[in-house]
Amino acid sequence: MKCKYCVLFITVLFCSSQSFTKELPTGEKAYKDNCQACHQLNSFTVGPSLVFINKNYGKDELNLFLKWAKNPGKKNPNTIQMPSMVHVGTQGLTDIHQYILTVTQGIKESKKRHNFTPFKNPKIKTPYVKRGFMPFSSPASVGVIINEQLGINWDTSIGRIRYAFVGNKNFFKGENKQNELKPFIYYQETTEKLWPFTQDYQYIGYKIENELPEFIYQFGNIKISEKITQGINNKSFIRQFTVSGVTAPIKLNFAHVGKAKLKSNKGQWQQQTLALSVIEAEHFSVEVIIK
Amino acid sequence: MNYRIFLFCCFITNPLSSSAQQVTNDWLDYFSIENITIPNTIDPQIGGLEVLDDGRVAAAFHSGQVAIYSPKTNEWHIYAKGLHEPLGLLQDGKNGLLVMQAAELTRLIDENKDGTADFYQNVSNAFGISGNYHEFAFGPARDQKGNLYFSLNLASNYAGTFEKTRGDLHPLCLPKNIIGNWRKHNWKTLKDKVGRMFSCVPYRGWIMKVTPDGKTSKYASGVRSPDGLVIDNENRLWVTDNQGDWRGTSPMYLVEEGDFLGHPASLLWRNNWQTPVVDIPVEQLEKIRKPAAVLFPQGELANSPTKPEPTVSAALFGLPKGELLIGDMNQKNLIRFLPEKVNGFTQGALIPFLQTEALGIGNHRMQFDKEGHLWIGKTHLGWAGDEGLRKITWNKKPYLIVEKVKLTEQGFQISFNKAVSSLPNSIKITSHTYHYHSDYGSEKIDIQHWSPEKTTLDSSSKMLTINLPKIKEKRLYTLSLKGIKNKQGDTLMGDVIRYNVVKMR
């Protein structure tokens, strides 16, 4: 088209539409509204960077990009599942794809992995009590880390200790690779029920004194408190029991696996069962010494 | 020659656009956002926040502590430790602090009055927890009779359960040897049998109630990821939920006893329920589900709304009392909810608030103190978000807002807190809806554009009436009003109104 004023005309139009308004191009706005929270320009944050996405879904791969965005699979086990972006619509997603192609030109992936410096939990001074997901236990468990050598799992779902383990091993990753933690379990009490009571079990809570717990629970009207402290050495622990409401002699079942010596200050041992009279049952303690 | 003209043109001011380019107010003209430093021994992701009666601010952190901040001395003090994913805090009079952990609603009591909790008392653990990574627990909220409410997230089928769960698996779930041992099976092919989000132990997907004498019961079902639970000043219980399967976009519900709020997974725990979740016909669910009071359009207003906070008196923060202020994890704004009752149903308008870069995202827990400062606790966990504690202060400079939105028989009546200088430059009105289906999320469907038949300002210049050719129920209306200023020239702060019409006049 030969027109000596055309450049002037087109230029004025260009200036007025682009230079003086705050409107973002469609793809950029849609990216900011929908994607920016998890996908940054050139570093992996919650999801891969735009540089990465451009590499995998380039100019000729719009259809693959749309397919993924509408129904994301899972390629990276180390991050969260991407939710579907179907609500953005095909045109919106196409605009975003176009934006990605444009904005990543000449940009390289940065080495920085996270937006936040991943928080490093400081080493906690022992003893300490910590609730969390623990292996070989219900999800309602309490870890009692008595010292670097000795930790205890107490399961509030059943009201008892399940096992003792190496104190400085991380036993708070739930069932994740739990079999790798088996060698670090010294001692395991194997019966579901320690106490002979048939009344309903109710977990009351725990008190903390000097960073160690006293678990409180009951079976019907029988109230029990179980205070846990370190025993004679770093690999032994004492449970001090206070029981009220017992009206007949009782037997506690300390059946276990693992090399340990069990001592009590009251009652009679019959193999791994501790028999107590009514008076003895009011206050007694049991020590487990891991060999 | 042409080249020089080209360069010249790019530097001239286009006279048309300069009149449209007027000075507009910024949110930071009215509010300051202060960051409160948190000790570096604490993971600054905040799950729970409570302003105590004495003005100190208690926060529950992802690393398991509850710490209390003294604004007067700028000091933090650890009150409790070792908690498991605490996602809510509530002061319990002089008795202590209630905290919602993953497996227990706990009362933290300082019996010996040394300033730290020494009794971690179980208030309620009468619900199942399977060990699935997605089973968060939220709350508590307290009503005027002292009842407490908490909510239970569903499990996600990207994983199974622990071998040892608390609460037996429902018979309609997969058997224990499969779901409890999921890593050893071909879980990818089995997971569809439980549904995208599932409820295999009691009462995932329910809102639970605890009476003052400690009895726990099921209150309402049908939630998915009910992060925000609050009782407002009218003693109404509200819950926000998250876009996902069966949630086209994020909703908020007014919760009443016996409600079913839309996600079918929790129905297993209704008395005598016989149908596997994946076999329930959608028509049956449509008949029993309660509509959401509001819907937050994904990507625009909120992607993961968090805990609502009732507004305080206008003299303290500039917003009318009686609204709810809601946070979001993904958008750099808060959201105001202006409730009204239409034909017995409480619905209303959503309006963006404090929409500014300086706010950031990840706004998880919020609370006003007695002076009208708004404290915000942020988090991200494995999703998008932020961290830390912020304090928002109004500088008492009056700002122009929509104060009330009323649905009329013909459209909307919008009231401003100050007289406005003129009708808006432009009014864009659309309405749309969403699918209700098991798919994850929904695009906007059936988008309709509307031109007002009539737009008038009343004699006080404070009420704008917009009449439409038609108002339809069960549609989300978006009204975008541009160019409104008051007589002093202040711009309207929050000029897009989203009103979910559940009932009509």
PDB file of all heavy atoms in Angstrom, chain A residues 8 11 15-16 20 33 80-81 87 131 175 203-204 206-208 211, chain B residues 9 14 21 82 104 111 118 120 122 158 163 298-299 382 442-443:
ATOM      1  N   LEU A   8       2.670   7.487   9.626  1.00  0.00           N
ATOM      2  CA  LEU A   8       2.269   8.439  10.682  1.00  0.00           C
ATOM      3  C   LEU A   8       0.983   7.981  11.363  1.00  0.00           C
ATOM      4  O   LEU A   8       0.880   7.911  12.582  1.00  0.00           O
ATOM      5  CB  LEU A   8       2.085   9.825  10.050  1.00  0.00           C
ATOM      6  CG  LEU A   8       1.554  10.918  10.989  1.00  0.00           C
ATOM      7  CD1 LEU A   8       2.523  11.147  12.132  1.00  0.00           C
ATOM      8  CD2 LEU A   8       1.360  12.214  10.230  1.00  0.00           C
ATOM      9  N   THR A  11       1.446   4.757  13.330  1.00  0.00           N
ATOM     10  CA  THR A  11       2.261   5.019  14.509  1.00  0.00           C
ATOM     11  C   THR A  11       1.444   5.657  15.619  1.00  0.00           C
ATOM     12  O   THR A  11       1.565   5.266  16.773  1.00  0.00           O
ATOM     13  CB  THR A  11       3.444   5.940  14.155  1.00  0.00           C
ATOM     14  OG1 THR A  11       4.112   5.394  13.029  1.00  0.00           O
ATOM     15  CG2 THR A  11       4.390   6.073  15.319  1.00  0.00           C
ATOM     16  N   CYS A  15       0.915   4.166  19.299  1.00  0.00           N
ATOM     17  CA  CYS A  15       1.256   4.858  20.541  1.00  0.00           C
ATOM     18  C   CYS A  15       0.058   4.966  21.467  1.00  0.00           C
ATOM     19  O   CYS A  15       0.160   4.727  22.653  1.00  0.00           O
ATOM     20  CB  CYS A  15       1.774   6.274  20.239  1.00  0.00           C
ATOM     21  SG  CYS A  15       3.383   6.273  19.459  1.00  0.00           S
ATOM     22  N   SER A  16      -1.088   5.314  20.907  1.00  0.00           N
ATOM     23  CA  SER A  16      -2.238   5.557  21.786  1.00  0.00           C
ATOM     24  C   SER A  16      -2.751   4.263  22.406  1.00  0.00           C
ATOM     25  O   SER A  16      -3.228   4.254  23.510  1.00  0.00           O
ATOM     26  CB  SER A  16      -3.358   6.256  21.016  1.00  0.00           C
ATOM     27  OG  SER A  16      -3.793   5.414  19.955  1.00  0.00           O
ATOM     28  N   PHE A  20      -0.115   4.274  26.580  1.00  0.00           N
ATOM     29  CA  PHE A  20      -0.710   5.120  27.597  1.00  0.00           C
ATOM     30  C   PHE A  20      -1.805   4.449  28.413  1.00  0.00           C
ATOM     31  O   PHE A  20      -2.441   5.082  29.206  1.00  0.00           O
ATOM     32  CB  PHE A  20      -1.271   6.410  26.958  1.00  0.00           C
ATOM     33  CG  PHE A  20      -0.210   7.167  26.238  1.00  0.00           C
ATOM     34  CD1 PHE A  20      -0.141   7.147  24.851  1.00  0.00           C
ATOM     35  CD2 PHE A  20       0.758   7.861  26.945  1.00  0.00           C
ATOM     36  CE1 PHE A  20       0.863   7.826  24.186  1.00  0.00           C
ATOM     37  CE2 PHE A  20       1.763   8.545  26.285  1.00  0.00           C
ATOM     38  CZ  PHE A  20       1.817   8.529  24.899  1.00  0.00           C
ATOM     39  N   ASP A  33      -3.326 -14.136  36.626  1.00  0.00           N
ATOM     40  CA  ASP A  33      -4.504 -14.535  37.405  1.00  0.00           C
ATOM     41  C   ASP A  33      -4.470 -16.013  37.781  1.00  0.00           C
ATOM     42  O   ASP A  33      -4.968 -16.393  38.829  1.00  0.00           O
ATOM     43  CB  ASP A  33      -5.792 -14.288  36.603  1.00  0.00           C
ATOM     44  CG  ASP A  33      -6.150 -12.803  36.544  1.00  0.00           C
ATOM     45  OD1 ASP A  33      -5.582 -12.018  37.319  1.00  0.00           O
ATOM     46  OD2 ASP A  33      -6.990 -12.444  35.696  1.00  0.00           O
ATOM     47  N   ILE A  80       3.492 -30.848  44.448  1.00  0.00           N
ATOM     48  CA  ILE A  80       2.063 -31.121  44.586  1.00  0.00           C
ATOM     49  C   ILE A  80       1.419 -31.302  43.219  1.00  0.00           C
ATOM     50  O   ILE A  80       1.976 -30.903  42.203  1.00  0.00           O
ATOM     51  CB  ILE A  80       1.359 -29.974  45.334  1.00  0.00           C
ATOM     52  CG1 ILE A  80       1.619 -28.630  44.653  1.00  0.00           C
ATOM     53  CG2 ILE A  80       1.864 -29.908  46.751  1.00  0.00           C
ATOM     54  CD1 ILE A  80       0.383 -27.850  44.373  1.00  0.00           C
ATOM     55  N   GLN A  81       0.257 -31.881  43.238  1.00  0.00           N
ATOM     56  CA  GLN A  81      -0.490 -32.105  42.009  1.00  0.00           C
ATOM     57  C   GLN A  81      -1.026 -30.781  41.485  1.00  0.00           C
ATOM     58  O   GLN A  81      -1.622 -30.012  42.217  1.00  0.00           O
ATOM     59  CB  GLN A  81      -1.662 -33.047  42.286  1.00  0.00           C
ATOM     60  CG  GLN A  81      -2.603 -33.250  41.119  1.00  0.00           C
ATOM     61  CD  GLN A  81      -1.918 -33.898  39.938  1.00  0.00           C
ATOM     62  OE1 GLN A  81      -1.048 -34.743  40.094  1.00  0.00           O
ATOM     63  NE2 GLN A  81      -2.296 -33.487  38.736  1.00  0.00           N
ATOM     64  N   HIS A  87     -11.071 -24.266  33.747  1.00  0.00           N
ATOM     65  CA  HIS A  87     -11.936 -23.095  33.899  1.00  0.00           C
ATOM     66  C   HIS A  87     -11.411 -21.882  33.130  1.00  0.00           C
ATOM     67  O   HIS A  87     -12.146 -20.934  32.896  1.00  0.00           O
ATOM     68  CB  HIS A  87     -12.079 -22.737  35.387  1.00  0.00           C
ATOM     69  CG  HIS A  87     -10.750 -22.439  36.032  1.00  0.00           C
ATOM     70  ND1 HIS A  87      -9.917 -23.411  36.505  1.00  0.00           N
ATOM     71  CD2 HIS A  87     -10.102 -21.258  36.206  1.00  0.00           C
ATOM     72  CE1 HIS A  87      -8.823 -22.861  36.983  1.00  0.00           C
ATOM     73  NE2 HIS A  87      -8.903 -21.560  36.823  1.00  0.00           N
ATOM     74  N   ARG A 131       3.994 -34.396  68.803  1.00  0.00           N
ATOM     75  CA  ARG A 131       2.942 -35.184  68.140  1.00  0.00           C
ATOM     76  C   ARG A 131       3.193 -35.187  66.650  1.00  0.00           C
ATOM     77  O   ARG A 131       3.645 -34.186  66.083  1.00  0.00           O
ATOM     78  CB  ARG A 131       1.561 -34.575  68.407  1.00  0.00           C
ATOM     79  CG  ARG A 131       1.039 -34.799  69.794  1.00  0.00           C
ATOM     80  CD  ARG A 131      -0.420 -34.463  69.867  1.00  0.00           C
ATOM     81  NE  ARG A 131      -1.226 -35.515  69.268  1.00  0.00           N
ATOM     82  CZ  ARG A 131      -2.376 -35.952  69.776  1.00  0.00           C
ATOM     83  NH1 ARG A 131      -2.837 -35.433  70.888  1.00  0.00           N
ATOM     84  NH2 ARG A 131      -3.074 -36.877  69.163  1.00  0.00           N
ATOM     85  N   GLU A 175       4.514 -43.269  57.518  1.00  0.00           N
ATOM     86  CA  GLU A 175       4.859 -44.574  56.964  1.00  0.00           C
ATOM     87  C   GLU A 175       5.864 -44.479  55.823  1.00  0.00           C
ATOM     88  O   GLU A 175       6.216 -45.494  55.220  1.00  0.00           O
ATOM     89  CB  GLU A 175       3.589 -45.268  56.463  1.00  0.00           C
ATOM     90  CG  GLU A 175       2.677 -45.706  57.583  1.00  0.00           C
ATOM     91  CD  GLU A 175       1.554 -46.605  57.087  1.00  0.00           C
ATOM     92  OE1 GLU A 175       1.250 -46.577  55.869  1.00  0.00           O
ATOM     93  OE2 GLU A 175       0.977 -47.317  57.913  1.00  0.00           O
ATOM     94  N   TYR A 203      -9.007 -41.070  76.084  1.00  0.00           N
ATOM     95  CA  TYR A 203      -7.740 -40.356  76.238  1.00  0.00           C
ATOM     96  C   TYR A 203      -8.018 -38.957  76.774  1.00  0.00           C
ATOM     97  O   TYR A 203      -8.821 -38.230  76.188  1.00  0.00           O
ATOM     98  CB  TYR A 203      -7.017 -40.308  74.889  1.00  0.00           C
ATOM     99  CG  TYR A 203      -5.796 -39.414  74.866  1.00  0.00           C
ATOM    100  CD1 TYR A 203      -4.636 -39.774  75.552  1.00  0.00           C
ATOM    101  CD2 TYR A 203      -5.812 -38.212  74.175  1.00  0.00           C
ATOM    102  CE1 TYR A 203      -3.519 -38.949  75.542  1.00  0.00           C
ATOM    103  CE2 TYR A 203      -4.705 -37.373  74.157  1.00  0.00           C
ATOM    104  CZ  TYR A 203      -3.564 -37.741  74.849  1.00  0.00           C
ATOM    105  OH  TYR A 203      -2.458 -36.915  74.840  1.00  0.00           O
ATOM    106  N   ILE A 204      -7.404 -38.584  77.872  1.00  0.00           N
ATOM    107  CA  ILE A 204      -7.667 -37.292  78.511  1.00  0.00           C
ATOM    108  C   ILE A 204      -6.656 -36.221  78.102  1.00  0.00           C
ATOM    109  O   ILE A 204      -6.988 -35.047  77.974  1.00  0.00           O
ATOM    110  CB  ILE A 204      -7.652 -37.441  80.059  1.00  0.00           C
ATOM    111  CG1 ILE A 204      -8.644 -38.510  80.502  1.00  0.00           C
ATOM    112  CG2 ILE A 204      -7.899 -36.117  80.760  1.00  0.00           C
ATOM    113  CD1 ILE A 204     -10.080 -38.181  80.183  1.00  0.00           C
ATOM    114  N   TYR A 206      -2.124 -34.989  78.084  1.00  0.00           N
ATOM    115  CA  TYR A 206      -0.871 -35.172  78.813  1.00  0.00           C
ATOM    116  C   TYR A 206      -0.443 -33.871  79.477  1.00  0.00           C
ATOM    117  O   TYR A 206      -0.746 -32.777  79.002  1.00  0.00           O
ATOM    118  CB  TYR A 206       0.251 -35.738  77.931  1.00  0.00           C
ATOM    119  CG  TYR A 206       0.653 -34.924  76.710  1.00  0.00           C
ATOM    120  CD1 TYR A 206       1.519 -33.834  76.808  1.00  0.00           C
ATOM    121  CD2 TYR A 206       0.194 -35.292  75.445  1.00  0.00           C
ATOM    122  CE1 TYR A 206       1.904 -33.117  75.675  1.00  0.00           C
ATOM    123  CE2 TYR A 206       0.569 -34.582  74.313  1.00  0.00           C
ATOM    124  CZ  TYR A 206       1.420 -33.497  74.435  1.00  0.00           C
ATOM    125  OH  TYR A 206       1.794 -32.789  73.301  1.00  0.00           O
ATOM    126  N   LYS A 207       0.222 -34.040  80.600  1.00  0.00           N
ATOM    127  CA  LYS A 207       0.811 -32.888  81.286  1.00  0.00           C
ATOM    128  C   LYS A 207       2.304 -32.920  80.999  1.00  0.00           C
ATOM    129  O   LYS A 207       2.877 -33.977  80.742  1.00  0.00           O
ATOM    130  CB  LYS A 207       0.542 -32.982  82.794  1.00  0.00           C
ATOM    131  CG  LYS A 207      -0.944 -33.002  83.093  1.00  0.00           C
ATOM    132  CD  LYS A 207      -1.256 -32.562  84.502  1.00  0.00           C
ATOM    133  CE  LYS A 207      -2.770 -32.519  84.668  1.00  0.00           C
ATOM    134  NZ  LYS A 207      -3.178 -32.016  85.969  1.00  0.00           N
ATOM    135  N   ILE A 208       2.887 -31.746  81.038  1.00  0.00           N
ATOM    136  CA  ILE A 208       4.323 -31.655  80.764  1.00  0.00           C
ATOM    137  C   ILE A 208       5.026 -31.113  82.004  1.00  0.00           C
ATOM    138  O   ILE A 208       4.629 -30.077  82.551  1.00  0.00           O
ATOM    139  CB  ILE A 208       4.593 -30.704  79.577  1.00  0.00           C
ATOM    140  CG1 ILE A 208       4.055 -31.288  78.286  1.00  0.00           C
ATOM    141  CG2 ILE A 208       6.075 -30.402  79.460  1.00  0.00           C
ATOM    142  CD1 ILE A 208       5.002 -32.178  77.533  1.00  0.00           C
ATOM    143  N   GLU A 211       9.774 -30.973  80.418  1.00  0.00           N
ATOM    144  CA  GLU A 211       9.765 -31.403  79.011  1.00  0.00           C
ATOM    145  C   GLU A 211       9.427 -32.878  78.824  1.00  0.00           C
ATOM    146  O   GLU A 211       9.582 -33.410  77.727  1.00  0.00           O
ATOM    147  CB  GLU A 211      11.124 -31.111  78.325  1.00  0.00           C
ATOM    148  CG  GLU A 211      11.585 -29.671  78.412  1.00  0.00           C
ATOM    149  CD  GLU A 211      10.666 -28.690  77.714  1.00  0.00           C
ATOM    150  OE1 GLU A 211       9.780 -29.125  76.948  1.00  0.00           O
ATOM    151  OE2 GLU A 211      10.795 -27.473  77.938  1.00  0.00           O
TER     152      GLU A 211
ATOM    153  N   CYS B   9       6.132  10.755  16.806  1.00  0.00           N
ATOM    154  CA  CYS B   9       4.794  10.363  17.236  1.00  0.00           C
ATOM    155  C   CYS B   9       4.807   9.613  18.554  1.00  0.00           C
ATOM    156  O   CYS B   9       3.902   9.747  19.357  1.00  0.00           O
ATOM    157  CB  CYS B   9       4.120   9.476  16.182  1.00  0.00           C
ATOM    158  SG  CYS B   9       3.679  10.412  14.733  1.00  0.00           S
ATOM    159  N   ASN B  14      -1.110  11.425  23.574  1.00  0.00           N
ATOM    160  CA  ASN B  14      -2.391  11.292  22.879  1.00  0.00           C
ATOM    161  C   ASN B  14      -3.457  11.984  23.715  1.00  0.00           C
ATOM    162  O   ASN B  14      -3.708  11.601  24.844  1.00  0.00           O
ATOM    163  CB  ASN B  14      -2.713   9.799  22.718  1.00  0.00           C
ATOM    164  CG  ASN B  14      -3.990   9.568  21.944  1.00  0.00           C
ATOM    165  OD1 ASN B  14      -4.995  10.273  22.145  1.00  0.00           O
ATOM    166  ND2 ASN B  14      -3.967   8.603  21.067  1.00  0.00           N
ATOM    167  N   GLN B  21      -6.745   8.875  31.632  1.00  0.00           N
ATOM    168  CA  GLN B  21      -5.681   8.571  32.584  1.00  0.00           C
ATOM    169  C   GLN B  21      -5.738   9.560  33.735  1.00  0.00           C
ATOM    170  O   GLN B  21      -5.016  10.537  33.780  1.00  0.00           O
ATOM    171  CB  GLN B  21      -4.327   8.689  31.865  1.00  0.00           C
ATOM    172  CG  GLN B  21      -3.136   8.591  32.799  1.00  0.00           C
ATOM    173  CD  GLN B  21      -2.204   7.481  32.389  1.00  0.00           C
ATOM    174  OE1 GLN B  21      -2.519   6.693  31.524  1.00  0.00           O
ATOM    175  NE2 GLN B  21      -1.049   7.423  33.000  1.00  0.00           N
ATOM    176  N   GLY B  82       5.393 -28.854  70.128  1.00  0.00           N
ATOM    177  CA  GLY B  82       5.154 -30.253  69.782  1.00  0.00           C
ATOM    178  C   GLY B  82       3.779 -30.539  69.220  1.00  0.00           C
ATOM    179  O   GLY B  82       3.349 -31.690  69.227  1.00  0.00           O
ATOM    180  N   GLU B 104      -6.620 -33.933  66.958  1.00  0.00           N
ATOM    181  CA  GLU B 104      -7.271 -33.628  68.232  1.00  0.00           C
ATOM    182  C   GLU B 104      -7.548 -32.142  68.383  1.00  0.00           C
ATOM    183  O   GLU B 104      -6.724 -31.305  68.018  1.00  0.00           O
ATOM    184  CB  GLU B 104      -6.325 -34.075  69.353  1.00  0.00           C
ATOM    185  CG  GLU B 104      -6.837 -33.893  70.764  1.00  0.00           C
ATOM    186  CD  GLU B 104      -5.748 -34.300  71.765  1.00  0.00           C
ATOM    187  OE1 GLU B 104      -5.421 -35.496  71.812  1.00  0.00           O
ATOM    188  OE2 GLU B 104      -5.236 -33.421  72.462  1.00  0.00           O
ATOM    189  N   GLU B 111      -1.502 -24.503  84.040  1.00  0.00           N
ATOM    190  CA  GLU B 111      -2.024 -24.772  85.386  1.00  0.00           C
ATOM    191  C   GLU B 111      -1.211 -24.089  86.465  1.00  0.00           C
ATOM    192  O   GLU B 111      -1.755 -23.578  87.435  1.00  0.00           O
ATOM    193  CB  GLU B 111      -2.072 -26.289  85.651  1.00  0.00           C
ATOM    194  CG  GLU B 111      -3.199 -26.973  84.900  1.00  0.00           C
ATOM    195  CD  GLU B 111      -3.403 -28.437  85.289  1.00  0.00           C
ATOM    196  OE1 GLU B 111      -2.401 -29.118  85.596  1.00  0.00           O
ATOM    197  OE2 GLU B 111      -4.568 -28.879  85.260  1.00  0.00           O
ATOM    198  N   ASP B 118       1.083 -26.358  80.427  1.00  0.00           N
ATOM    199  CA  ASP B 118       1.603 -27.594  80.989  1.00  0.00           C
ATOM    200  C   ASP B 118       0.589 -28.726  80.951  1.00  0.00           C
ATOM    201  O   ASP B 118       0.912 -29.847  81.321  1.00  0.00           O
ATOM    202  CB  ASP B 118       2.111 -27.379  82.436  1.00  0.00           C
ATOM    203  CG  ASP B 118       1.204 -26.467  83.219  1.00  0.00           C
ATOM    204  OD1 ASP B 118       0.007 -26.802  83.335  1.00  0.00           O
ATOM    205  OD2 ASP B 118       1.675 -25.417  83.708  1.00  0.00           O
ATOM    206  N   TYR B 120      -1.918 -30.446  78.109  1.00  0.00           N
ATOM    207  CA  TYR B 120      -2.416 -30.496  76.734  1.00  0.00           C
ATOM    208  C   TYR B 120      -3.641 -31.409  76.774  1.00  0.00           C
ATOM    209  O   TYR B 120      -3.555 -32.625  76.607  1.00  0.00           O
ATOM    210  CB  TYR B 120      -1.336 -31.069  75.812  1.00  0.00           C
ATOM    211  CG  TYR B 120      -0.140 -30.145  75.616  1.00  0.00           C
ATOM    212  CD1 TYR B 120       0.596 -29.665  76.692  1.00  0.00           C
ATOM    213  CD2 TYR B 120       0.264 -29.772  74.336  1.00  0.00           C
ATOM    214  CE1 TYR B 120       1.695 -28.838  76.501  1.00  0.00           C
ATOM    215  CE2 TYR B 120       1.371 -28.951  74.134  1.00  0.00           C
ATOM    216  CZ  TYR B 120       2.069 -28.482  75.229  1.00  0.00           C
ATOM    217  OH  TYR B 120       3.168 -27.666  75.036  1.00  0.00           O
ATOM    218  N   ASN B 122      -7.202 -33.123  75.940  1.00  0.00           N
ATOM    219  CA  ASN B 122      -8.027 -33.544  74.807  1.00  0.00           C
ATOM    220  C   ASN B 122      -9.449 -33.016  74.984  1.00  0.00           C
ATOM    221  O   ASN B 122     -10.121 -33.363  75.940  1.00  0.00           O
ATOM    222  CB  ASN B 122      -8.045 -35.084  74.732  1.00  0.00           C
ATOM    223  CG  ASN B 122      -9.021 -35.606  73.697  1.00  0.00           C
ATOM    224  OD1 ASN B 122      -9.371 -34.912  72.744  1.00  0.00           O
ATOM    225  ND2 ASN B 122      -9.472 -36.839  73.870  1.00  0.00           N
ATOM    226  N   TYR B 158      -4.410 -39.578  45.909  1.00  0.00           N
ATOM    227  CA  TYR B 158      -3.014 -39.740  45.480  1.00  0.00           C
ATOM    228  C   TYR B 158      -2.267 -40.651  46.454  1.00  0.00           C
ATOM    229  O   TYR B 158      -1.128 -41.014  46.218  1.00  0.00           O
ATOM    230  CB  TYR B 158      -2.318 -38.389  45.377  1.00  0.00           C
ATOM    231  CG  TYR B 158      -2.818 -37.600  44.187  1.00  0.00           C
ATOM    232  CD1 TYR B 158      -3.012 -36.237  44.257  1.00  0.00           C
ATOM    233  CD2 TYR B 158      -3.122 -38.246  42.990  1.00  0.00           C
ATOM    234  CE1 TYR B 158      -3.490 -35.527  43.174  1.00  0.00           C
ATOM    235  CE2 TYR B 158      -3.609 -37.544  41.898  1.00  0.00           C
ATOM    236  CZ  TYR B 158      -3.792 -36.182  42.003  1.00  0.00           C
ATOM    237  OH  TYR B 158      -4.281 -35.478  40.938  1.00  0.00           O
ATOM    238  N   GLU B 163      -1.566 -48.266  57.779  1.00  0.00           N
ATOM    239  CA  GLU B 163      -2.044 -49.597  58.168  1.00  0.00           C
ATOM    240  C   GLU B 163      -2.912 -49.493  59.404  1.00  0.00           C
ATOM    241  O   GLU B 163      -3.936 -50.150  59.531  1.00  0.00           O
ATOM    242  CB  GLU B 163      -0.856 -50.498  58.501  1.00  0.00           C
ATOM    243  CG  GLU B 163      -0.137 -51.058  57.292  1.00  0.00           C
ATOM    244  CD  GLU B 163       1.050 -51.906  57.726  1.00  0.00           C
ATOM    245  OE1 GLU B 163       0.818 -53.042  58.165  1.00  0.00           O
ATOM    246  OE2 GLU B 163       2.194 -51.419  57.637  1.00  0.00           O
ATOM    247  N   GLN B 298     -12.652 -18.738  40.251  1.00  0.00           N
ATOM    248  CA  GLN B 298     -11.269 -19.206  40.255  1.00  0.00           C
ATOM    249  C   GLN B 298     -10.420 -18.312  39.377  1.00  0.00           C
ATOM    250  O   GLN B 298     -10.792 -17.966  38.270  1.00  0.00           O
ATOM    251  CB  GLN B 298     -11.244 -20.648  39.712  1.00  0.00           C
ATOM    252  CG  GLN B 298      -9.884 -21.292  39.654  1.00  0.00           C
ATOM    253  CD  GLN B 298      -9.452 -21.882  40.979  1.00  0.00           C
ATOM    254  OE1 GLN B 298     -10.220 -21.916  41.937  1.00  0.00           O
ATOM    255  NE2 GLN B 298      -8.220 -22.357  41.036  1.00  0.00           N
ATOM    256  N   GLY B 299      -9.241 -17.962  39.886  1.00  0.00           N
ATOM    257  CA  GLY B 299      -8.308 -17.179  39.092  1.00  0.00           C
ATOM    258  C   GLY B 299      -8.571 -15.688  39.125  1.00  0.00           C
ATOM    259  O   GLY B 299      -7.699 -14.901  38.793  1.00  0.00           O
ATOM    260  N   GLY B 382       2.684 -27.103  51.045  1.00  0.00           N
ATOM    261  CA  GLY B 382       3.157 -27.560  49.743  1.00  0.00           C
ATOM    262  C   GLY B 382       2.504 -26.870  48.575  1.00  0.00           C
ATOM    263  O   GLY B 382       2.669 -27.296  47.435  1.00  0.00           O
ATOM    264  N   SER B 442     -14.442 -26.418  37.320  1.00  0.00           N
ATOM    265  CA  SER B 442     -15.294 -26.201  36.146  1.00  0.00           C
ATOM    266  C   SER B 442     -14.967 -24.858  35.536  1.00  0.00           C
ATOM    267  O   SER B 442     -14.684 -23.889  36.245  1.00  0.00           O
ATOM    268  CB  SER B 442     -16.766 -26.235  36.565  1.00  0.00           C
ATOM    269  OG  SER B 442     -17.585 -25.692  35.552  1.00  0.00           O
ATOM    270  N   GLU B 443     -15.004 -24.803  34.205  1.00  0.00           N
ATOM    271  CA  GLU B 443     -14.916 -23.491  33.570  1.00  0.00           C
ATOM    272  C   GLU B 443     -16.239 -22.769  33.813  1.00  0.00           C
ATOM    273  O   GLU B 443     -17.222 -23.379  34.238  1.00  0.00           O
ATOM    274  CB  GLU B 443     -14.694 -23.670  32.069  1.00  0.00           C
ATOM    275  CG  GLU B 443     -15.839 -24.417  31.420  1.00  0.00           C
ATOM    276  CD  GLU B 443     -15.416 -25.240  30.216  1.00  0.00           C
ATOM    277  OE1 GLU B 443     -14.303 -25.026  29.697  1.00  0.00           O
ATOM    278  OE2 GLU B 443     -16.202 -26.101  29.817  1.00  0.00           O
TER     279      GLU B 443
END
